[in-house]
Amino acid sequence: MCIRDRYQRRVHGESIRMKVLVLVQFTKDVKSRTYFLFEDLTKAYEFVVKSFVNKSWRESAGEKTTWIMEREIFEYVDNLEELGFLINEEKDASSKFEFYDKEWIKKSMAFHVRQLLSKE
């Protein structure tokens, strides 16, 4: 069973412990490289969306944007200098982190983005 399937099961009530380390470099400047630790994929996806919204807000001189397209979020992901998820499903003490790249992130977060955008 892949991580995306387990994420779907978790959304529907099953408990799966995991850690998601989001590795991101926002610009070409290596000083913009940082990481964030989340307890599940939902929070990691929300971080990516909130980063996009914050960037859009700054670029629009603080004007409130009312309409966000899924395509714009994925373009933002593509334009980040670096983005990757290290995911550890805490099955046992020997569990290791697995790396997932931008393409996997976009595919796996599509469902979540649609749900998030439908709430607005």
Side-chain angles (χ1 to χ4, degrees), residues 9-43:
R9 289 174 59 196
R10 177 158 188 184
V11 167
H12 295 13
E14 290 185 36
S15 179
I16 296 172
R17 290 185 43 115
M18 67 171 48
K19 290 189 189 308
V20 181
L21 190 60
V22 176
L23 309 169
V24 63
Q25 183 174 334
F26 294 101
T27 65
K28 292 187 185 299
D29 183 357
V30 294
K31 292 179 182 174
S32 74
R33 186 180 297 165
T34 189
Y35 65 91
F36 301 89
L37 180 63
F38 299 99
E39 294 297 321
D40 59 40
L41 280 170
T42 300
K43 297 214 181 337

Side-chain angles (χ1 to χ4, degrees), residues 3-120:
I3 293 232
R4 207 174 15 227
D5 293 338
R6 286 187 288 263
Y7 167 72
Q8 295 294 342
R9 289 174 59 196
R10 177 158 188 184
V11 167
H12 295 13
E14 290 185 36
S15 179
I16 296 172
R17 290 185 43 115
M18 67 171 48
K19 290 189 189 308
V20 181
L21 190 60
V22 176
L23 309 169
V24 63
Q25 183 174 334
F26 294 101
T27 65
K28 292 187 185 299
D29 183 357
V30 294
K31 292 179 182 174
S32 74
R33 186 180 297 165
T34 189
Y35 65 91
F36 301 89
L37 180 63
F38 299 99
E39 294 297 321
D40 59 40
L41 280 170
T42 300
K43 297 214 181 337
Y45 296 150
E46 287 172 359
F47 165 78
V48 173
V49 173
K50 286 177 184 177
S51 296
F52 164 76
V53 169
N54 289 337
K55 179 182 184 291
S56 297
W57 186 78
R58 283 191 312 272
E59 289 176 353
S60 66
E63 293 177 22
K64 188 168 182 168
T65 310
T66 57
W67 187 256
I68 297 172
M69 301 291 290
E70 181 180 348
R71 175 182 47 81
E72 293 174 306
I73 294 170
F74 294 146
E75 285 174 7
Y76 169 74
V77 168
D78 286 334
N79 291 326
L80 286 171
E81 197 64 28
E82 295 290 336
L83 178 66
F85 284 6
L86 282 171
I87 300 175
N88 177 330
E89 295 181 78
E90 300 172 342
K91 298 175 194 165
D92 56 46
S94 66
S95 295
K96 296 180 183 172
F97 280 90
E98 292 184 48
F99 179 78
Y100 296 89
D101 65 5
K102 287 181 184 181
E103 291 306 311
W104 183 90
I105 293 167
K106 289 188 302 185
K107 287 177 188 170
S108 88
M109 75 183 278
F111 171 78
H112 178 75
V113 168
R114 283 185 208 112
Q115 279 194 321
L116 195 62
L117 295 178
S118 70
K119 292 178 184 177
E120 296 184 2

